[in-house]
Amino acid sequence: MSSNTAPPPHVVEDFYGVVRLLSDGSVVRGDESVLMPAGPFPDVTGVQCKDIVYDTARGLKVRVYWPPAATGEQGKLPVLVYFHGGGYLFGAYDQPMFHSCCQRFAAEPPAVVLSVQYRLAPEHRLPAAIDDGAAFLSWLSDQATLGAGADPWLVGSADFARTFVSGVSAGANLAHHVVVQVPSGQISLGAVRVVGYVLFSAFFGSVERTASETDPPAGVSWTVEVSDQVWRMALPVGATRAHQLANPFGPDSPSLKPMELPPVLIVAPEIDVLYGHVLSYAKRLQEMGKAVELAEFKGGE
């Protein structure tokens, strides 16, 4: 008698054993610590933090960092929105490395820092994370209009008219996409004003290879093969790196030329396979007459 039992699902994508995508679409997750720097990541004295749910339907949180200066006499502080990295596949807003980084951001400029949780692929493929970033900015806009009804840490310390958006790697990609939704009219910010954005080692891609991909620096951990795999697992099923969420200047990407973008600081480590994409992003914006500051770091990943 023949059996109609289907074969068990098999692994179709295995990202370092940390994210395994199976043939039935299910995902098995492992220990992310193998992909993260060992640390230590010391706390910054005097910086307080707490988590707030900004999307009750999905249970998504933002971690608010409150610097010592927030209780001083200098008035309200600028707001820094931060999206963590991880190729859209892994990482979390509360991981030690990102937590320590946001503490420093809060203490040193100083600023009220908002580190945003967003959904990860491949369980939630793009544009899920972009949608979450846009939802967060809408939540922030609501906070700015609530007055005394807003969260006490924000209403007492945050200057919503001086909001900056930032991120690292995939978080920088996310930052770009939510920032451009403001002048395109997709996000209405009310009293919130995005006055600048900062991209650290932005995770962009394209079908065409850049020089840093065809001749990658020696010793990089994020290789071209890794980058390609991450895009396969994060983009909509069947999409290529020409997709607008990978390539902001791709064939189907909206033109940035007519958009009134805020000034941008672009941080580009030279020892990085993404270096060519980051430089190309800066160059294209400069050619459009946008306000761009490029900070290149030689010899660092």
Side-chain angles (χ1 to χ4, degrees), residues 15 17-22 26-32 35 86 88-91 118-124 233:
F15 188 75
V18 172
V19 186
R20 292 188 178 96
L21 176 62
L22 306 186
S26 61
V27 177
V28 178
R29 289 190 172 268
D31 182 7
E32 290 191 6
L35 298 177
Y88 286 121
L89 300 186
F90 64 99
Y118 55 87
R119 288 173 292 168
L120 299 177
E123 297 95 327
H124 306 283
M233 297 175 72

Side-chain angles (χ1 to χ4, degrees), residues 15-16 35-36 85-90 168-170 201-205 212-213 216-231 234 271-275 277 301:
F15 188 75
Y16 291 101
L35 298 177
M36 307 301 289
Y88 286 121
L89 300 186
F90 64 99
V168 60
S169 188
S201 303
F203 183 40
F204 295 125
S212 61
E213 289 176 319
V220 292
S221 56
W222 190 275
T223 65
V224 176
E225 292 74 22
V226 168
S227 183
D228 288 353
Q229 181 184 21
V230 169
W231 282 124
I271 301 180
D272 186 352
V273 294
L274 302 175
Y275 182 64
H277 288 295
E301 182 181 8

